[in-house]
Amino acid sequence: MVGSSHEALHRIFQKDPALLTRALQQVLGIAFPTPYEFAGMNVDLTEIEPVERRVDTPLRAETDEGSYLLVVESQGQPDERKRGSWPYYLSYLYEKYRCEPVLIVVTQSSATARWAAQPIHLGVRGTPSLTVRPFVLGPDNVPVIATEREARQDPTLAVLSAMTHGRGRQAPAILESLAAALRTIDRDSAAVLVQFVDSCLANDQVRQMWRDLMTAMQYFWRHPLAEEVREEGREEGREEGRVKDRAEMILRILEWRGIAVPDDVRARVEACTDFDRLAVWSERAIHASGAADVFDAGE
């Protein structure tokens, strides 16, 4: 199970290696050849001498132009040690596999992205013997996918967008669009992607919104990540607690989406004691254009 934003930001490419190629081509505008096959590689670059070095996610991409080794590094903040280890990674991989290595850094921080994008020059100043130019994916170039149509076209790119931009005023639109896109893929894959996003949402309110959306869609509760929340629910120990939580979730979703909730709608939601009916209402709240749309005309 993914336990941190650091893991999620590079393991998303293990889940969908082709996303990395699309990011290079579409986001960074690099004329990278389209691979016809991917293979995972050993993350351990340790040599016989006891100096441990590990990359986050290495992938081998087979293309019509030859083999490439894609080295994905998740970076939370600037770390000057990487300006020594990154050239080592690329040189070691090239020497061992005789394939062209490509370094891609993924970050949620604009400041870290600017730092990581700086070329690494080793040697005489002005005439270096070795120059490393990392490709960087971050908030300034990963697209903001905030419409359902865009999210459905490329759900995993929408996941990367949510992981990168899942904070601030755009978060509700991004997460709602992604929630809709996850309906279009198989549930097991969706459950994994749900956790990637959850691990990257640092803002507690935004994370709660994401969990509310996923609960309404019955994805979140099928994933091991939900065990912690289920345990909390067992400690509550009462059915009325589940009903109250679901009612509050409906109202939160509407409010986060910027939909005004009239007193009569609020009163009706809070008065409902039928958990199954509340589950239906919570799913409608995701797409409702008005607060009253959570109710069916026949109810």
Side-chain angles (χ1 to χ4, degrees):
M1 187 172 78
V2 177
S4 68
S5 61
H6 176 91
E7 286 186 79
L9 279 171
H10 67 87
R11 286 183 57 185
I12 179 66
F13 299 109
Q14 296 176 17
K15 175 64 178 174
D16 181 8
L19 171 63
L20 190 56
T21 302
R22 297 197 299 277
L24 289 172
Q25 296 170 337
Q26 300 170 21
V27 178
L28 299 179
I30 298 167
F32 191 84
T34 300
Y36 56 80
E37 183 180 355
F38 287 97
M41 299 181 65
N42 192 339
V43 302
D44 194 344
L45 304 186
T46 305
E47 300 184 71
I48 295 176
E49 295 185 8
V51 178
E52 183 176 329
R53 302 181 188 273
R54 295 177 184 271
V55 298
D56 287 334
T57 288
L59 295 167
R60 182 168 181 148
E62 303 294 342
T63 78
D64 291 335
E65 297 180 10
S67 300
Y68 287 87
L69 302 180
L70 305 178
V71 180
V72 184
E73 284 280 282
S74 173
Q75 196 68 29
Q77 60 187 14
D79 181 353
E80 288 304 315
R81 293 174 299 176
K82 293 299 182 73
R83 303 188 71 79
S85 57
W86 285 344
Y88 169 85
Y89 295 166
L90 302 184
S91 299
Y92 176 88
L93 288 169
Y94 180 77
E95 174 62 22
K96 182 173 183 178
Y97 297 103
R98 292 294 169 177
C99 296
E100 299 294 341
V102 180
L103 174 63
I104 302 100
V105 180
V106 190
T107 181
Q108 293 175 294
S109 164
S110 294
T112 301
R114 290 190 294 271
W115 167 82
Q118 296 174 11
I120 302 169
H121 300 296
L122 301 180
V124 178
R125 182 173 299 179
T127 55
S129 298
L130 175 65
T131 296
V132 173
R133 300 181 184 275
F135 297 131
V136 182
L137 296 171
D140 296 332
N141 56 14
V142 172
V144 175
I145 297 181
T147 69
E148 183 175 333
R149 179 182 61 82
E150 291 177 306
R152 286 176 179 269
Q153 288 176 347
D154 195 334
T156 47
L157 183 59
V159 169
L160 182 62
S161 177
M163 292 161 64
T164 307
H165 300 284
R167 61 183 71 183
R169 293 180 300 173
Q170 297 182 106
I174 293 171
L175 296 181
E176 289 167 27
S177 300
L178 176 57
L182 291 178
R183 291 175 173 272
T184 67
I185 64 177
D186 69 275
R187 294 178 67 89
D188 289 337
S189 294
V192 175
L193 297 177
V194 164
Q195 192 202 5
F196 285 148
V197 176
D198 191 271
S199 297
C200 285
L201 297 177
N203 182 284
D204 290 340
Q205 186 179 31
V206 173
R207 178 180 287 147
Q208 185 58 53
M209 176 189 178
W210 177 241
R211 292 186 174 190
D212 284 347
L213 289 169
M214 293 301 98
T215 301
M217 294 176 60
Q218 304 301 315
Y219 280 119
F220 178 74
W221 300 102
R222 299 184 68 240
H223 198 277
L225 178 64
E227 287 300 326
E228 176 185 346
V229 181
R230 277 201 289 265
E231 285 300 323
E232 293 173 359
R234 292 189 187 106
E235 291 175 6
E236 293 284 338
R238 296 180 298 180
E239 179 67 17
E240 54 264 36
R242 295 176 65 235
V243 169
K244 181 180 178 181
D245 287 345
R246 184 56 65 99
E248 291 176 350
M249 183 186 74
I250 294 168
L251 299 175
R252 280 200 304 268
I253 290 175
L254 292 172
E255 290 167 356
W256 279 325
R257 297 187 61 223
I259 297 175
V261 181
D263 290 342
D264 61 328
V265 172
R266 182 180 300 275
R268 183 174 177 183
V269 171
E270 292 177 343
C272 182
T273 58
D274 186 333
F275 183 83
D276 291 336
R277 175 167 291 183
L278 288 170
V280 172
W281 290 355
S282 65
E283 189 163 345
R284 291 177 186 163
I286 299 172
H287 305 287
S289 56
D293 291 343
V294 300
F295 311 125
D296 183 78
E299 293 177 328

